[in-house]
Amino acid sequence: MNQPLAYVHPQAKVARNVVIEPFTTIHNNVTIGSGTWIGSNVTIMEGARIGKDCRIFPGAVISAIPQDLKFEGEDSLTIIGDNTTIRECVTVNRGTKASGKTSIGKNCLIMATAHIAHDCYLGDNSIVVNGVALAGHVIIGKHAIIGGLAAIHQFIHIGDHAMVSGGSLVRKDVPPYTKAAKEPLSYVGINSIGLRRRGFSADKIREIQNIYRILYQKNYNTTQAVEKIEAEMEATPERDEIILFIRNSQRGIMKGYWGG
């Protein structure tokens, strides 16, 4: 904490064992939890709430005001969960009056140059790869992976355990447990490797595959497919999560891929 070449506002609340490298600036109304490391040339602005054991690499700007012309200077927050890593030159904007906060969960990895816009929510253990751009109000589920240089339209919802390929333009919601690729973005299978790595049984993976087979490979429209899944598939947390995700989708879900 006694780094003479860093500026820490006297009213910032910084745990005693936080390491702050030279040329970093920490503004007023900031809280940083114990064990966190802040690299050189980081700027942490008002409204940041950073958890324990985080790592923030050089050039990152955390909790700058939203890039939203409707923003009127209202108080809002940027919340970063414990054990999250934010790599070089990442930008995370704080929330607007719409939700009051931008939130990144625990154990997340935000790779270099990614942008997290106002009012976004990222679930625990999510990974955002280099150069990804999240527009405002995006929801990323837990354990989701967003490939490098993907661009996510505002108000998009990407479900738990989903995987979006690099360079994707995401204009529709991506249901949980799926892989999304191609242009326009389409269903290309379930994230079976990721699910196995996280302890899902072979039977559970098969159940999820069967649900998406009805949704994407049986020539039903979305409403018909959901009705059939609900009528024919045993009620489980995963089945109900998928049905609820589809029914709550504001932008509609991505389509199936039938190309060669």
Side-chain angles (χ1 to χ4, degrees), residues 20-257:
I20 301 172
E21 302 289 359
F23 313 116
T24 279
T25 300
I26 297 176
H27 290 228
N28 189 19
N29 189 22
V30 168
T31 301
I32 304 176
S34 64
T36 287
W37 173 80
I38 311 292
S40 300
N41 296 294
V42 171
T43 303
I44 300 179
M45 305 185 78
E46 291 195 16
R49 302 289 184 267
I50 298 170
K52 300 176 182 178
D53 299 313
C54 295
R55 296 184 297 164
I56 302 180
F57 280 71
V61 179
I62 309 299
S63 205
I65 64 170
Q67 297 176 121
D68 181 348
L69 295 177
K70 300 185 299 300
F71 181 69
E72 297 176 337
E74 59 267 23
D75 289 339
S76 59
L77 301 176
T78 297
I79 299 172
I80 297 172
D82 298 345
N83 200 41
T84 281
T85 296
I86 295 178
R87 293 303 305 252
E88 295 83 356
C89 301
V90 165
T91 52
V92 184
N93 292 168
R94 62 185 173 99
T96 69
K97 59 189 172 185
S99 73
K101 62 184 178 182
T102 300
S103 182
I104 298 175
K106 298 178 181 179
N107 307 306
C108 295
L109 172 58
I110 314 299
M111 295 190 194
T113 73
H115 174 66
I116 313 295
H118 61 89
D119 303 290
C120 285
Y121 172 86
L122 279 68
D124 295 346
N125 301 288
S126 54
I127 298 174
V128 175
V129 180
N130 305 75
V132 167
L134 302 186
H137 310 276
V138 167
I139 298 173
I140 307 292
K142 63 185 180 182
H143 293 282
I145 300 174
I146 313 301
L149 300 174
I152 319 296
H153 195 283
Q154 58 261 44
F155 295 99
I156 285 293
H157 187 180
I158 295 172
D160 295 353
H161 300 278
M163 186 171 186
V164 176
S165 70
S168 294
L169 303 177
V170 184
R171 308 177 185 94
K172 295 288 187 180
D173 292 346
V174 178
Y177 312 111
T178 62
K179 293 186 297 187
K182 309 293 184 182
E183 172 56 33
L185 194 75
S186 305
Y187 171 79
V188 294
I190 72 164
N191 185 16
S192 54
I193 293 174
L195 295 178
R196 282 200 298 271
R197 288 174 176 168
R198 295 172 204 133
F200 283 72
S201 68
D203 287 343
K204 181 58 65 178
I205 292 171
R206 194 174 303 112
E207 173 201 327
I208 294 168
Q209 284 175 325
N210 289 337
I211 290 170
Y212 282 113
R213 191 169 288 119
I214 293 171
L215 181 64
Y216 282 119
Q217 295 174 302
K218 295 292 186 181
N219 293 322
Y220 300 119
N221 65 36
T222 300
T223 301
Q224 292 169 334
V226 168
E227 290 173 351
K228 195 165 186 66
I229 291 164
E230 198 163 31
E232 296 185 2
M233 301 291 294
E234 179 184 354
T236 65
E238 291 77 16
R239 186 208 74 162
D240 292 346
E241 179 184 359
I242 293 166
I243 290 172
L244 189 64
F245 182 99
I246 295 168
R247 286 184 169 156
N248 288 341
S249 175
Q250 298 298 304
R251 294 188 55 80
I253 64 169
M254 65 181 179
K255 301 302 183 184
Y257 176 67

